[in-house]
Amino acid sequence: MEIILASGSPRRKELMEMLGFKNLKIIPAKGEEKVNLSLAPGALVEALATQKALEVAENRNKEDLVIGADTIVFHNGKVMGKPHSEKEARDMLSELSGDVHQVYTGVCLVKDGQKTARHELSRVHFRSLTEAEICAYVKTGEPMDKAGAYGAQGLGALFVKGIEGDFFNVMGLPVCLLGEMLKEQGVYIL
Amino acid sequence: MEIILASGSPRRKELMEMLGFKNLKIIPAKGEEKVNLSLAPGALVEALATQKALEVAENRNKEDLVIGADTIVFHNGKVMGKPHSEKEARDMLSELSGDVHQVYTGVCLVKDGQKTARHELSRVHFRSLTEAEICAYVKTGEPMDKAGAYGAQGLGALFVKGIEGDFFNVMGLPVCLLGEMLKEQGVYIL
Protein backbone atom coordinates (compact mmCIF):
# COMPACT_ATOMS: atom_id res chain seq x y z
CA MET A 1 0.00 0.00 0.00
CA GLU A 2 1.22 3.45 -0.89
CA ILE A 3 -0.12 6.71 0.55
CA ILE A 4 -0.71 9.34 -2.11
CA LEU A 5 -1.49 13.01 -1.65
CA ALA A 6 -3.72 14.17 -4.52
CA SER A 7 -2.73 17.82 -4.07
CA GLY A 8 0.06 20.02 -5.35
CA SER A 9 -0.13 22.42 -2.40
CA PRO A 10 3.31 22.92 -0.83
CA ARG A 11 1.60 23.63 2.50
CA ARG A 12 -0.19 20.28 2.51
CA LYS A 13 3.08 18.53 1.65
CA GLU A 14 4.78 20.35 4.54
CA LEU A 15 2.03 19.29 6.96
CA MET A 16 2.24 15.66 5.83
CA GLU A 17 6.01 15.85 6.44
CA MET A 18 5.33 17.26 9.91
CA LEU A 19 3.33 14.07 10.54
CA GLY A 20 6.29 11.93 9.49
CA PHE A 21 5.30 11.17 5.87
CA LYS A 22 8.71 12.03 4.48
CA ASN A 23 8.70 10.37 1.05
CA LEU A 24 5.06 10.80 0.31
CA LYS A 25 3.95 10.24 -3.27
CA ILE A 26 2.36 13.40 -4.60
CA ILE A 27 0.07 13.29 -7.62
CA PRO A 28 -1.93 16.52 -7.94
CA ALA A 29 -5.42 16.06 -9.37
CA LYS A 30 -5.73 17.98 -12.64
CA GLY A 31 -9.38 17.62 -13.53
CA GLU A 32 -11.72 20.53 -13.77
CA GLU A 33 -13.61 21.08 -10.54
CA LYS A 34 -17.25 20.33 -11.23
CA VAL A 35 -19.54 21.03 -8.33
CA ASN A 36 -22.93 22.28 -7.51
CA LEU A 37 -22.15 25.77 -6.25
CA SER A 38 -25.44 25.90 -4.36
CA LEU A 39 -24.00 23.37 -1.87
CA ALA A 40 -23.35 24.53 1.68
CA PRO A 41 -19.60 25.27 2.20
CA GLY A 42 -18.93 22.04 4.15
CA ALA A 43 -20.61 19.87 1.52
CA LEU A 44 -18.83 21.83 -1.23
CA VAL A 45 -15.29 21.19 0.09
CA GLU A 46 -16.13 17.54 0.72
CA ALA A 47 -17.35 17.21 -2.89
CA LEU A 48 -14.22 18.90 -4.25
CA ALA A 49 -11.87 16.82 -2.05
CA THR A 50 -13.70 13.67 -3.20
CA GLN A 51 -13.38 14.60 -6.89
CA LYS A 52 -9.63 15.07 -6.48
CA ALA A 53 -9.11 11.83 -4.57
CA LEU A 54 -11.24 9.77 -6.98
CA GLU A 55 -9.49 11.20 -10.04
CA VAL A 56 -6.07 10.17 -8.74
CA ALA A 57 -7.26 6.82 -7.32
CA GLU A 58 -8.56 5.83 -10.76
CA ASN A 59 -5.04 5.24 -12.07
CA ARG A 60 -3.62 3.61 -8.95
CA ASN A 61 -3.73 0.18 -7.32
CA LYS A 62 -6.92 -0.40 -5.38
CA GLU A 63 -5.03 -0.91 -2.11
CA ASP A 64 -3.29 2.47 -2.28
CA LEU A 65 -4.66 5.16 0.02
CA VAL A 66 -5.35 8.45 -1.74
CA ILE A 67 -5.85 11.68 0.18
CA GLY A 68 -7.74 14.56 -1.44
CA ALA A 69 -8.31 17.95 0.16
CA ASP A 70 -9.88 21.25 -0.75
CA THR A 71 -9.97 24.55 1.13
CA ILE A 72 -12.21 27.57 0.72
CA VAL A 73 -12.58 30.88 2.52
CA PHE A 74 -16.16 31.89 3.23
CA HIS A 75 -17.16 35.43 4.15
CA ASN A 76 -20.53 37.17 4.20
CA GLY A 77 -22.21 34.23 2.49
CA LYS A 78 -19.68 34.21 -0.36
CA VAL A 79 -16.92 31.76 -1.32
CA MET A 80 -13.49 33.35 -1.85
CA GLY A 81 -11.07 31.47 -4.06
CA LYS A 82 -7.55 32.43 -5.09
CA PRO A 83 -7.17 35.99 -6.42
CA HIS A 84 -6.63 36.36 -10.18
CA SER A 85 -4.89 39.73 -9.96
CA GLU A 86 -3.22 42.02 -7.43
CA LYS A 87 -6.30 44.23 -7.55
CA GLU A 88 -8.53 41.29 -6.63
CA ALA A 89 -6.14 40.31 -3.81
CA ARG A 90 -6.33 43.85 -2.39
CA ASP A 91 -10.14 43.80 -2.63
CA MET A 92 -10.33 40.44 -0.83
CA LEU A 93 -8.07 41.63 1.99
CA SER A 94 -10.09 44.84 2.38
CA GLU A 95 -13.20 42.69 2.74
CA LEU A 96 -11.62 40.48 5.40
CA SER A 97 -10.11 43.42 7.34
CA GLY A 98 -11.47 43.86 10.86
CA ASP A 99 -13.90 40.99 10.49
CA VAL A 100 -14.34 37.26 11.08
CA HIS A 101 -14.42 34.74 8.23
CA GLN A 102 -14.66 30.97 7.97
CA VAL A 103 -12.19 28.53 6.47
CA TYR A 104 -13.49 25.13 5.39
CA THR A 105 -11.28 22.24 4.38
CA GLY A 106 -12.72 18.99 3.07
CA VAL A 107 -10.69 15.78 3.26
CA CYS A 108 -11.45 12.61 1.34
CA LEU A 109 -9.70 9.25 1.69
CA VAL A 110 -10.11 6.65 -1.05
CA LYS A 111 -8.96 3.04 -0.58
CA ASP A 112 -10.16 -0.29 -1.97
CA GLY A 113 -12.82 1.51 -3.96
CA GLN A 114 -14.35 3.03 -0.82
CA LYS A 115 -14.38 6.75 -0.06
CA THR A 116 -14.81 8.67 3.18
CA ALA A 117 -15.12 12.46 3.24
CA ARG A 118 -15.31 14.92 6.13
CA HIS A 119 -14.61 18.57 6.69
CA GLU A 120 -13.36 20.93 9.35
CA LEU A 121 -14.36 24.55 9.98
CA SER A 122 -12.19 27.24 11.56
CA ARG A 123 -13.12 30.86 12.21
CA VAL A 124 -10.42 33.48 11.61
CA HIS A 125 -10.41 36.95 13.22
CA PHE A 126 -8.58 39.60 11.21
CA ARG A 127 -7.47 42.84 12.84
CA SER A 128 -8.18 46.08 10.98
CA LEU A 129 -5.72 46.57 8.15
CA THR A 130 -4.52 49.84 6.65
CA GLU A 131 -4.44 50.44 2.88
CA ALA A 132 -0.66 50.67 3.11
CA GLU A 133 -0.38 47.28 4.83
CA ILE A 134 -2.63 45.63 2.26
CA CYS A 135 -0.61 47.08 -0.63
CA ALA A 136 2.72 46.12 0.95
CA TYR A 137 1.47 42.60 1.61
CA VAL A 138 0.14 42.08 -1.92
CA LYS A 139 3.48 43.31 -3.30
CA THR A 140 5.27 40.44 -1.49
CA GLY A 141 3.42 38.01 -3.80
CA GLU A 142 2.37 35.82 -0.87
CA PRO A 143 -1.42 36.20 -1.42
CA MET A 144 -1.51 35.15 -5.07
CA ASP A 145 -1.82 31.35 -4.78
CA LYS A 146 -3.99 31.34 -1.65
CA ALA A 147 -7.75 31.23 -1.07
CA GLY A 148 -8.82 34.53 0.53
CA ALA A 149 -5.51 36.13 -0.57
CA TYR A 150 -3.51 35.46 2.58
CA GLY A 151 -1.26 32.84 4.11
CA ALA A 152 -1.83 32.24 7.82
CA GLN A 153 1.64 30.67 8.06
CA GLY A 154 3.48 33.56 6.44
CA LEU A 155 3.42 37.35 6.68
CA GLY A 156 -0.36 37.01 6.72
CA ALA A 157 0.04 35.91 10.35
CA LEU A 158 0.47 39.60 11.16
CA PHE A 159 -3.20 40.12 10.23
CA VAL A 160 -4.65 37.25 12.26
CA LYS A 161 -5.60 38.29 15.79
CA GLY A 162 -6.81 34.80 16.57
CA ILE A 163 -8.69 31.79 15.33
CA GLU A 164 -11.28 29.36 16.64
CA GLY A 165 -10.66 25.81 15.50
CA ASP A 166 -7.77 23.88 13.97
CA PHE A 167 -4.98 26.16 12.77
CA PHE A 168 -3.76 23.61 10.23
CA ASN A 169 -7.23 23.58 8.72
CA VAL A 170 -6.60 27.24 7.87
CA MET A 171 -3.29 26.20 6.27
CA GLY A 172 -5.18 23.68 4.12
CA LEU A 173 -5.18 20.35 5.97
CA PRO A 174 -7.00 19.65 9.27
CA VAL A 175 -4.28 17.54 10.87
CA CYS A 176 -6.21 16.26 13.89
CA LEU A 177 -9.18 15.17 11.75
CA LEU A 178 -6.89 13.58 9.16
CA GLY A 179 -5.12 11.60 11.91
CA GLU A 180 -8.46 10.21 13.07
CA MET A 181 -9.53 9.36 9.51
CA LEU A 182 -6.21 7.58 8.87
CA LYS A 183 -6.68 5.51 12.07
CA GLU A 184 -9.98 4.26 10.68
CA GLN A 185 -7.98 2.97 7.68
CA GLY A 186 -5.51 1.25 9.99
CA VAL A 187 -2.79 3.88 9.54
CA TYR A 188 -1.46 4.90 12.95
CA ILE A 189 0.94 7.83 13.06
CA LEU A 190 1.44 7.49 16.82
CA MET B 1 20.11 49.55 15.44
CA GLU B 2 20.20 45.81 15.63
CA ILE B 3 17.24 43.57 16.50
CA ILE B 4 18.15 40.85 18.99
CA LEU B 5 16.11 37.85 20.04
CA ALA B 6 16.90 37.03 23.68
CA SER B 7 15.74 33.43 23.31
CA GLY B 8 17.32 30.17 22.24
CA SER B 9 14.02 28.61 21.16
CA PRO B 10 14.26 27.23 17.60
CA ARG B 11 10.51 27.81 17.20
CA ARG B 12 10.81 31.53 18.00
CA LYS B 13 13.71 31.82 15.56
CA GLU B 14 11.61 30.11 12.88
CA LEU B 15 8.69 32.50 13.50
CA MET B 16 10.99 35.53 13.29
CA GLU B 17 12.27 34.14 9.97
CA MET B 18 8.66 33.76 8.81
CA LEU B 19 8.32 37.52 9.43
CA GLY B 20 11.35 38.21 7.28
CA PHE B 21 14.04 38.59 9.98
CA LYS B 22 16.49 36.32 8.21
CA ASN B 23 19.80 37.20 9.83
CA LEU B 24 18.50 37.94 13.26
CA LYS B 25 21.01 38.17 16.08
CA ILE B 26 20.17 35.57 18.72
CA ILE B 27 21.52 35.90 22.26
CA PRO B 28 19.66 33.58 24.64
CA ALA B 29 19.28 34.96 28.16
CA LYS B 30 21.06 32.70 30.63
CA GLY B 31 20.12 34.14 33.99
CA GLU B 32 18.13 32.24 36.54
CA GLU B 33 14.43 33.04 36.31
CA LYS B 34 13.50 34.90 39.48
CA VAL B 35 9.83 35.62 39.78
CA ASN B 36 7.07 35.82 42.27
CA LEU B 37 5.20 32.59 41.57
CA SER B 38 2.05 33.99 43.15
CA LEU B 39 1.65 36.29 40.14
CA ALA B 40 -1.27 35.66 37.78
CA PRO B 41 -0.13 33.78 34.64
CA GLY B 42 -0.22 36.86 32.39
CA ALA B 43 1.85 38.94 34.81
CA LEU B 44 4.21 36.00 35.32
CA VAL B 45 5.11 35.57 31.63
CA GLU B 46 5.50 39.34 31.25
CA ALA B 47 7.90 39.38 34.22
CA LEU B 48 9.91 36.46 32.81
CA ALA B 49 10.03 37.95 29.29
CA THR B 50 11.17 41.25 30.81
CA GLN B 51 13.95 39.59 32.83
CA LYS B 52 15.28 37.91 29.70
CA ALA B 53 15.14 41.06 27.57
CA LEU B 54 16.76 43.24 30.26
CA GLU B 55 19.56 40.73 30.88
CA VAL B 56 20.55 40.72 27.21
CA ALA B 57 20.01 44.47 26.73
CA GLU B 58 22.48 45.20 29.55
CA ASN B 59 25.44 44.24 27.36
CA ARG B 60 24.23 45.84 24.14
CA ASN B 61 24.08 49.30 22.65
CA LYS B 62 21.18 51.33 23.96
CA GLU B 63 19.68 51.77 20.48
CA ASP B 64 19.46 48.01 19.83
CA LEU B 65 16.00 46.50 20.13
CA VAL B 66 15.93 43.39 22.32
CA ILE B 67 12.98 40.96 22.23
CA GLY B 68 12.36 38.69 25.20
CA ALA B 69 9.60 36.08 25.39
CA ASP B 70 8.39 33.44 27.80
CA THR B 71 5.67 30.82 27.42
CA ILE B 72 3.83 28.76 30.01
CA VAL B 73 1.05 26.21 29.91
CA PHE B 74 -1.62 26.70 32.56
CA HIS B 75 -4.09 23.97 33.51
CA ASN B 76 -6.38 23.59 36.52
CA GLY B 77 -4.79 26.55 38.27
CA LYS B 78 -1.28 25.14 37.87
CA VAL B 79 1.69 26.22 35.74
CA MET B 80 3.22 23.47 33.60
CA GLY B 81 6.82 23.91 32.58
CA LYS B 82 9.01 21.58 30.53
CA PRO B 83 9.01 17.93 31.66
CA HIS B 84 12.14 16.68 33.45
CA SER B 85 11.61 13.02 32.59
CA GLU B 86 9.60 10.83 30.24
CA LYS B 87 7.42 9.87 33.19
CA GLU B 88 6.64 13.53 33.88
CA ALA B 89 5.89 14.09 30.17
CA ARG B 90 3.41 11.20 30.19
CA ASP B 91 1.76 12.56 33.36
CA MET B 92 1.42 16.03 31.85
CA LEU B 93 -0.17 14.67 28.66
CA SER B 94 -2.59 12.52 30.67
CA GLU B 95 -3.62 15.66 32.55
CA LEU B 96 -4.19 17.64 29.34
CA SER B 97 -6.05 14.79 27.58
CA GLY B 98 -9.70 15.53 26.75
CA ASP B 99 -9.54 18.95 28.35
CA VAL B 100 -8.92 22.64 27.65
CA HIS B 101 -5.78 24.41 28.86
CA GLN B 102 -4.34 27.91 28.49
CA VAL B 103 -1.09 28.98 26.90
CA TYR B 104 0.35 32.35 27.90
CA THR B 105 3.25 34.02 26.17
CA GLY B 106 4.75 37.25 27.44
CA VAL B 107 6.72 39.50 25.11
CA CYS B 108 9.02 42.31 26.21
CA LEU B 109 10.78 44.84 23.98
CA VAL B 110 13.69 46.84 25.39
CA LYS B 111 15.13 49.83 23.51
CA ASP B 112 16.84 53.04 24.64
CA GLY B 113 16.51 51.95 28.24
CA GLN B 114 12.72 51.68 27.95
CA LYS B 115 10.79 48.44 28.26
CA THR B 116 7.30 47.45 27.11
CA ALA B 117 5.77 44.11 28.04
CA ARG B 118 2.50 42.48 27.01
CA HIS B 119 1.09 38.99 26.82
CA GLU B 120 -1.27 36.89 24.76
CA LEU B 121 -3.54 34.07 25.89
CA SER B 122 -4.72 31.14 23.77
CA ARG B 123 -6.96 28.28 24.82
CA VAL B 124 -6.09 24.81 23.51
CA HIS B 125 -8.60 21.93 23.23
CA PHE B 126 -7.05 18.47 23.42
CA ARG B 127 -8.96 15.43 22.23
CA SER B 128 -8.97 12.35 24.48
CA LEU B 129 -5.67 10.48 24.23
CA THR B 130 -5.04 6.79 24.76
CA GLU B 131 -2.20 5.50 26.94
CA ALA B 132 -0.64 3.99 23.83
CA GLU B 133 -0.68 7.31 21.97
CA ILE B 134 0.86 9.13 24.93
CA CYS B 135 3.64 6.53 25.25
CA ALA B 136 4.34 6.53 21.50
CA TYR B 137 4.44 10.33 21.45
CA VAL B 138 6.79 10.62 24.42
CA LYS B 139 9.11 8.05 22.77
CA THR B 140 9.53 10.39 19.77
CA GLY B 141 11.34 12.83 22.09
CA GLU B 142 9.27 15.76 20.85
CA PRO B 143 7.72 16.64 24.26
CA MET B 144 10.96 16.95 26.21
CA ASP B 145 11.92 20.59 25.56
CA LYS B 146 8.39 21.97 25.53
CA ALA B 147 6.13 23.50 28.16
CA GLY B 148 3.18 21.16 28.75
CA ALA B 149 5.09 18.32 27.04
CA TYR B 150 3.77 18.84 23.51
CA GLY B 151 4.59 20.72 20.34
CA ALA B 152 1.55 22.18 18.57
CA GLN B 153 3.59 22.44 15.36
CA GLY B 154 4.75 18.82 15.36
CA LEU B 155 3.20 15.42 15.99
CA GLY B 156 1.45 17.07 18.93
CA ALA B 157 -0.86 18.63 16.32
CA LEU B 158 -2.62 15.25 16.22
CA PHE B 159 -3.84 15.90 19.78
CA VAL B 160 -5.15 19.44 19.25
CA LYS B 161 -8.80 19.50 18.17
CA GLY B 162 -8.78 23.25 18.05
CA ILE B 163 -7.62 26.45 19.68
CA GLU B 164 -9.08 29.83 20.55
CA GLY B 165 -6.60 32.65 20.02
CA ASP B 166 -3.29 33.11 18.23
CA PHE B 167 -1.78 29.80 17.10
CA PHE B 168 1.75 31.22 17.08
CA ASN B 169 1.28 32.18 20.71
CA VAL B 170 0.96 28.44 21.39
CA MET B 171 4.22 27.93 19.46
CA GLY B 172 5.92 30.49 21.72
CA LEU B 173 5.61 33.88 20.02
CA PRO B 174 2.34 35.80 19.47
CA VAL B 175 3.13 37.07 15.98
CA CYS B 176 0.23 39.51 15.56
CA LEU B 177 0.88 41.15 18.95
CA LEU B 178 4.64 41.31 18.29
CA GLY B 179 3.98 43.01 14.93
CA GLU B 180 1.92 45.69 16.69
CA MET B 181 4.57 46.16 19.40
CA LEU B 182 7.31 46.50 16.79
CA LYS B 183 5.27 49.16 14.95
CA GLU B 184 5.22 51.23 18.15
CA GLN B 185 9.03 51.13 18.01
CA GLY B 186 9.01 52.27 14.39
CA VAL B 187 9.76 48.81 12.97
CA TYR B 188 7.32 48.06 10.15
CA ILE B 189 7.36 44.53 8.74
CA LEU B 190 4.73 45.41 6.13
Side-chain angles (χ1 to χ4, degrees):
Chain A
M1 179 190 88
E2 240 182 328
I3 296 182
I4 296 155
L5 180 64
S7 165
S9 153
R11 289 165 295 282
R12 292 197 183 110
K13 176 173 182 274
E14 193 189 310
L15 291 176
M16 290 299 287
E17 285 169 355
M18 180 181 89
L19 297 179
F21 296 102
K22 296 293 180 200
N23 294 307
L24 192 71
K25 189 141 199 147
I26 295 179
I27 308 177
K30 288 176 208 148
E32 208 187 325
E33 297 180 351
K34 290 172 214 143
V35 285
N36 180 347
L37 279 167
S38 67
L39 287 174
L44 178 65
V45 289
E46 287 190 18
L48 289 165
T50 302
Q51 272 181 29
K52 292 182 183 178
L54 286 177
E55 180 197 311
V56 170
E58 214 164 63
N59 302 305
R60 302 294 311 178
N61 290 328
K62 271 196 125 173
E63 59 268 28
D64 288 347
L65 196 163
V66 181
I67 304 170
D70 194 84
T71 302
I72 60 165
V73 167
F74 196 73
H75 182 247
N76 278 347
K78 213 178 65 184
V79 172
M80 282 182 166
K82 298 172 186 176
H84 297 97
S85 66
E86 294 202 347
K87 163 86 171 66
E88 202 186 344
R90 286 193 299 271
D91 289 347
M92 284 183 179
L93 291 163
S94 297
E95 265 196 58
L96 300 179
S97 170
D99 206 355
V100 182
H101 62 270
Q102 287 85 50
V103 179
Y104 288 85
T105 297
V107 177
C108 178
L109 302 192
V110 174
K111 189 179 186 313
D112 301 321
Q114 304 275 332
K115 60 179 201 286
T116 327
R118 288 200 229 149
H119 73 270
E120 191 69 82
L121 161 63
S122 304
R123 290 163 57 87
V124 180
H125 298 246
F126 259 43
R127 65 170 173 79
S128 292
L129 312 180
T130 64
E131 280 277 323
E133 282 174 324
I134 290 175
C135 288
Y137 181 52
V138 172
K139 278 221 176 4
T140 66
E142 189 177 286
M144 300 315 291
D145 64 335
K146 296 179 183 80
Y150 74 96
Q153 69 301 327
L155 291 168
L158 292 164
F159 298 163
V160 178
K161 270 198 304 190
I163 69 160
E164 296 161 72
D166 183 346
F167 173 75
F168 300 108
N169 185 47
V170 183
M171 266 182 77
L173 197 63
V175 164
C176 188
L177 174 67
L178 176 65
E180 298 300 284
M181 290 174 77
L182 286 172
K183 270 193 218 169
E184 291 166 13
Q185 303 291 334
V187 178
Y188 290 81
I189 299 171
L190 281 176
Chain B
M1 179 192 85
E2 240 181 326
I3 296 182
I4 296 154
L5 180 63
S7 166
S9 154
R11 289 162 298 279
R12 292 197 182 111
K13 176 174 182 274
E14 192 189 308
L15 291 175
M16 291 299 288
E17 284 169 357
M18 181 180 90
L19 298 179
F21 296 102
K22 297 289 181 202
N23 295 307
L24 192 72
K25 188 140 200 150
I26 295 179
I27 308 177
K30 288 177 209 148
E32 208 188 327
E33 296 179 351
K34 289 172 214 142
V35 286
N36 180 350
L37 280 168
S38 67
L39 287 174
L44 179 65
V45 289
E46 287 190 16
L48 288 165
T50 302
Q51 273 181 29
K52 292 181 184 180
L54 285 176
E55 182 198 311
V56 171
E58 213 163 66
N59 302 305
R60 302 293 311 178
N61 291 328
K62 273 196 124 172
E63 59 268 28
D64 288 346
L65 194 164
V66 180
I67 304 171
D70 194 84
T71 302
I72 60 164
V73 167
F74 196 73
H75 182 247
N76 279 346
K78 217 177 63 185
V79 172
M80 283 182 168
K82 297 172 187 173
H84 297 98
S85 66
E86 294 201 348
K87 164 86 172 64
E88 203 185 344
R90 286 193 298 271
D91 290 348
M92 284 182 178
L93 291 164
S94 297
E95 264 196 59
L96 300 180
S97 170
D99 207 355
V100 183
H101 61 270
Q102 287 84 49
V103 179
Y104 289 86
T105 297
V107 176
C108 177
L109 303 191
V110 175
K111 189 179 185 314
D112 301 320
Q114 305 275 332
K115 61 180 198 287
T116 326
R118 289 200 227 149
H119 73 272
E120 192 68 82
L121 161 63
S122 304
R123 291 163 58 85
V124 180
H125 297 246
F126 259 44
R127 65 170 172 80
S128 292
L129 311 179
T130 64
E131 281 277 322
E133 281 175 326
I134 290 175
C135 287
Y137 181 52
V138 171
K139 278 223 176 356
T140 67
E142 189 177 287
M144 300 315 292
D145 64 334
K146 296 177 182 80
Y150 74 96
Q153 69 301 330
L155 290 168
L158 291 165
F159 300 163
V160 178
K161 270 199 305 191
I163 71 162
E164 295 161 73
D166 184 346
F167 173 76
F168 299 108
N169 185 47
V170 183
M171 268 183 76
L173 198 63
V175 164
C176 188
L177 174 66
L178 175 64
E180 298 301 283
M181 290 173 78
L182 286 172
K183 269 193 218 169
E184 290 165 12
Q185 302 292 334
V187 177
Y188 290 80
I189 299 172
L190 281 176

